[in-house]
Amino acid sequence: MSRLACGALVVLLLGGCGGQSSQEPVTVTLLEEWTSKTLSEARQQELEQFTRETGIRVKVLPSPESNWEKLALWQQLLETGAGGPDVYGIDVIWPRILNEYFIDLKPHFAKEISLQFPAMVASYTVDGKLVGLPYRADIGLLYYRTDLLSQYGYRAPPRTWAELERMATRIQTGERAKGKKKFWGFVWQGAAAEALTCNALEWQAAEGGGQIIEDDGTISVNNPDAIRAWQRAARWVGSISPPSVIGYEEWNALNVWVAGDAAFMRGWPTAYLDSHTAESPIRDKFDISLLPGGRGGRVGTLGGAALAVSRFSAHPREALELVRYLSSSDVQTKRSRVFSQPPTLPGLYDVPAVLAPNPRFALLREAFQTGIVQRPSNVTGKKYHDVTNAYIKAVHSVLTREASGPAAAAALENELVRITGFRKGSPPRNQPTVARKP
């Protein structure tokens, strides 16, 4: 059904990507993945302002909701070699998968690149080519209830996963003693989906358990630290986390958190907006922190999106202008003020207009500079989908207790060898977990 839906969209979209009369203003087509109604409306306002400033019109094309359906659609459209869409929003794990279809942005954005977080630029760089210019930043964070931590005598959020487990257990026990039988210590994303790759990678990297596949192609996942991290998470299921957490995606965890039924939540920066609405019962009772860590440090999985220009674009000059505008400091400043969207430009984290309504951004800058772990999408390229699916299956089997940690890791290691042809090995020791190399 997904393939049929994508096929229908391809026909629909290509039908609207024909040539234009030389007498008409140029219209560039944009295909990108924001589906939130609020953010989509804001994006439309940005595009209307772009048209007023440049005279270039922008047509936004519809896209599926599922991330992998989006990728399938992007690939189908690009494989046609059609003159549109002109600009594509690409997920942080797509650059090497789609690299061949996009122009190198490095010659066009030398100044803009120098202003970006280096780790973000690296994540969209393939063999020295800048596939996309970052314009939306994401990283895994810990959300915590400030009121409950204070009530139970804690002065700060947990710095390690062991501390989180102890604090979550105590707060959950206390709240249930007050009659809140549906209260949980910690909610996260445990469904067999890409979000589980993000969560599990954070657990194991924090313990020094590597990045699944290292930059040099070493399959490092079968190691005691990664196994221990998975087994610890399995212990949470049914204790400090709901038994149903093994089916939770982002919105499931967010709903429990916003309802006031959890002490801690692993989430993305966008969850702040939902948690801080006027109707939210936890509106002024929460804050964010770096995720807990271990001997490997405190890390969050890098997410976000960039803008790429199709090498088949019928309007490359205008497409580049759109990318320049949407990633500009002015647009990112407004986006951060109105929607608390973290900028991709470190310099904006010192701007009062950005920092005043978002005092937590100082923490986010620290995370983007020192606390990033990346999924092995660049090193595995077009095989990443198979790699992440194998990883998700292995970790989920440990969470559901269908397999032991050692058995799941050994089977995963062999499966990754089969998928990639890479060699087995161990994570590098005594090296902090940081962004992957370009």
Side-chain angles (χ1 to χ4, degrees), residues 160-165 186 202-203 206-207 232 236 291-293:
T160 68
W161 287 109
E163 285 181 5
L164 180 138
E165 195 170 307
F186 180 40
E202 291 161 352
W203 306 332
E207 295 301 329
R232 178 180 56 211
W236 297 337
L291 285 165

Side-chain angles (χ1 to χ4, degrees), residues 73-89:
L73 174 60
W74 272 226
Q75 288 175 306
Q76 285 182 272
L77 288 167
L78 289 163
E79 286 169 1
T80 67
D86 302 284
V87 178
Y88 287 76

